Amino acid sequence: MHHKYFTTLPLASLASLAVATPYETREAAPGLIDDLLTGILNPMQQLIKDVLGGVKSGINDEISTKPLVCLTTLDSCCPWYDVSAELTKLFTETNGECNDNARAAVRFGFHDAGAWDKDSTFGGADGSLMMDFSEESRSENNGLQTVRTVLRSVQAKYKVGYADLAQYAHNHATITCPKGPRVRTFIGRKDATQANPTGKLPDVNDSADNLIALFQRKGFSAHDLAALVGAHATAKQRFVDTSAAGMPLDTTPGVWDVEFYNDTLNNNAGKNEKVFVLPSDKVLSVHPQVKDEWREFVGNQPHWNEDYAKAYIRMSLLGVQNLKDLKECTKTLPKKKNI
Ligand code: HEM
């Protein structure tokens, strides 16, 4: 997939380029984010539309330090500078790589937002997994309890929204891992009023066709799915095979790199191999709709980072209806680590 970004052109040119660079073809699926981005758009809605449509990058490397006087009434990003500093401490290993908290936070953001599809009238990126709705005791959320407690203590200290914190922590963890992208980070979601619907998260033993269909109902193409499961670059398994608990899903779980893509192709699933390959990753890596993109990510970090950022932004906005009220606070994230 080729990417072209036009950040310095006047609005009129952008509008014509948006026509020249059409939205990626998706199944007609009423209820998706794309439906919220029609008609007259405010600048935030336009930005989201441009990112999801591939007109603008989902990565933003602009950084700012907290001003001496930071008034939330003037800049709603103010509290996030302090949250960011706290998460850096919580997510960083002594050798500078990302740690177990960070890995779990990447998964946590996905499980909070991903429990949603186009038929859901509630749920999505609403913080419900962090709130008191007992979602943490669902079997698919095994392994996320510790990071949930960690993130709840951050929420209690800084009084930020649960829904925003779940996605902010995902994006922070991504950049805490060396080589990770600074994914555009939006703030201003509404917190949940009930638990997310059940049965919307993927089953590790499901077929590739079913997994592709499951993600398609959330608005993701097979290409998006290929990029998203790359988050297993910074992952360990504990519950798929308990006798191999703690085994990484690629050779470098503390780094956000593309090793995962060739490790998956080169290893057979199982605990006697170099890395643990999830059955779902194995079947996806060779599926006709996924395999070409999968191989394109091998050795191509910039390509994966761009595609991941774009797809994860969609994830981080699933079920969010008030797109026009969001603010971008990517500037509060730490800088990219290239080691
Ligand atoms: C086909 C879709 C997916 C399936 C079937 C799947 C399944 C799994 C399973 C079974 C584990 C191991 C859990 C354990 O035993 O502890 C895991 C770990 C993980 N997954 Fe996924 N996953 C999928 C997609 C994703 C996506 C889209 C993301 C993020 C955007 C993600 C992020 C992670 C991370 C970071 C871990 C490691 C957690 C840790 O080390 O604590 N996964 N996934």
Side-chain angles (χ1 to χ4, degrees):
M1 204 188 303
H2 296 287
H3 305 278
K4 289 197 185 113
Y5 305 114
F6 310 94
T7 47
T8 53
L9 295 171
L11 274 178
S13 321
L14 274 179
S16 61
L17 285 168
V19 173
T21 314
Y23 249 24
E24 216 174 274
T25 316
R26 290 174 195 277
E27 293 287 305
L32 296 178
I33 296 171
D34 312 65
D35 285 0
L36 302 170
L37 298 171
T38 55
I40 299 168
L41 305 180
N42 80 356
M44 175 50 58
Q45 293 166 308
Q46 188 62 51
L47 171 63
I48 293 169
K49 181 166 182 156
D50 286 346
V51 170
L52 297 183
V55 178
K56 273 192 179 163
S57 176
I59 295 175
N60 183 352
D61 285 326
E62 187 201 327
I63 299 183
S64 169
T65 45
K66 187 180 182 184
L68 245 66
V69 180
C70 201
L71 298 174
T72 308
T73 42
L74 297 180
D75 181 359
S76 47
C77 297
C78 283
W80 295 95
Y81 290 106
D82 298 329
V83 172
S84 179
E86 186 94 26
L87 293 181
T88 298
K89 284 186 250 161
L90 290 166
F91 288 172
T92 312
E93 196 63 77
T94 44
N95 65 0
E97 295 188 352
C98 53
N99 64 14
D100 281 350
N101 276 338
R103 282 183 272 284
V106 170
R107 189 169 192 226
F108 192 94
F110 163 48
H111 279 219
D112 189 50
W116 181 93
D117 68 21
K118 65 188 176 63
D119 299 322
S120 308
T121 51
F122 60 94
D126 61 3
S128 56
L129 179 52
M130 210 188 297
M131 298 169 77
D132 292 317
F133 299 118
S134 303
E135 269 179 53
E136 70 280 10
S137 55
R138 294 180 184 173
S139 60
E140 66 266 30
N141 291 327
N142 268 346
L144 295 175
Q145 292 83 359
T146 303
V147 76
R148 176 177 177 271
T149 306
V150 168
L151 293 177
R152 277 169 68 93
S153 68
V154 174
Q155 191 283 330
K157 190 164 171 189
Y158 297 102
K159 310 286 181 227
V160 289
Y162 292 94
D164 286 338
L165 181 57
Q167 298 314 315
Y168 190 92
H170 170 283
N171 291 5
H172 191 296
T174 303
I175 192 72
T176 309
C177 300
K179 300 190 182 181
R182 295 182 89 255
V183 178
R184 283 187 195 269
T185 302
F186 299 104
I187 297 304
R189 297 168 187 78
K190 295 195 167 128
D191 285 341
T193 53
Q194 59 183 309
N196 272 355
T198 53
K200 309 276 182 191
L201 287 169
D203 179 336
V204 72
N205 291 312
D206 214 341
S207 68
D209 280 337
N210 283 350
L211 292 168
I212 292 167
L214 179 89
F215 276 78
Q216 205 161 48
R217 289 194 293 276
K218 303 178 196 300
F220 298 102
S221 64
H223 283 188
D224 292 331
L225 179 55
L228 285 170
V229 294
H232 292 159
T234 180
K236 294 177 181 171
Q237 75 81 34
R238 292 174 187 82
F239 300 98
V240 182
D241 182 343
T242 49
S243 71
M247 210 167 158
L249 305 190
D250 86 345
T251 41
T252 52
V255 182
W256 189 271
D257 59 14
V258 284
E259 290 312 307
F260 164 77
Y261 288 101
N262 43 309
D263 284 348
T264 303
L265 293 171
N266 295 336
N267 287 273
N268 294 311
K271 63 184 169 190
N272 296 324
E273 300 294 331
K274 204 164 55 152
V275 300
F276 194 99
V277 179
L278 296 180
S280 51
D281 288 335
K282 196 75 197 169
V283 294
L284 283 170
S285 69
V286 293
H287 187 278
Q289 277 179 272
V290 177
K291 69 177 179 12
D292 291 346
E293 192 74 352
W294 195 284
R295 284 174 186 277
E296 276 197 37
F297 290 139
V298 174
N300 197 340
Q301 182 85 31
H303 180 178
W304 175 47
N305 276 358
E306 281 294 349
D307 284 8
Y308 185 86
K310 179 179 158 207
Y312 197 82
I313 288 168
R314 177 178 288 277
M315 180 76 75
S316 74
L317 298 174
L318 294 185
V320 176
Q321 301 286 321
N322 63 333
L323 298 177
K324 68 176 174 23
D325 303 326
L326 302 185
K327 296 277 178 294
E328 187 180 353
C329 293
T330 321
K331 65 181 180 181
T332 64
L333 289 173
K335 69 173 194 294
K336 185 174 165 57
K337 293 185 209 166
N338 283 318
I339 54 168

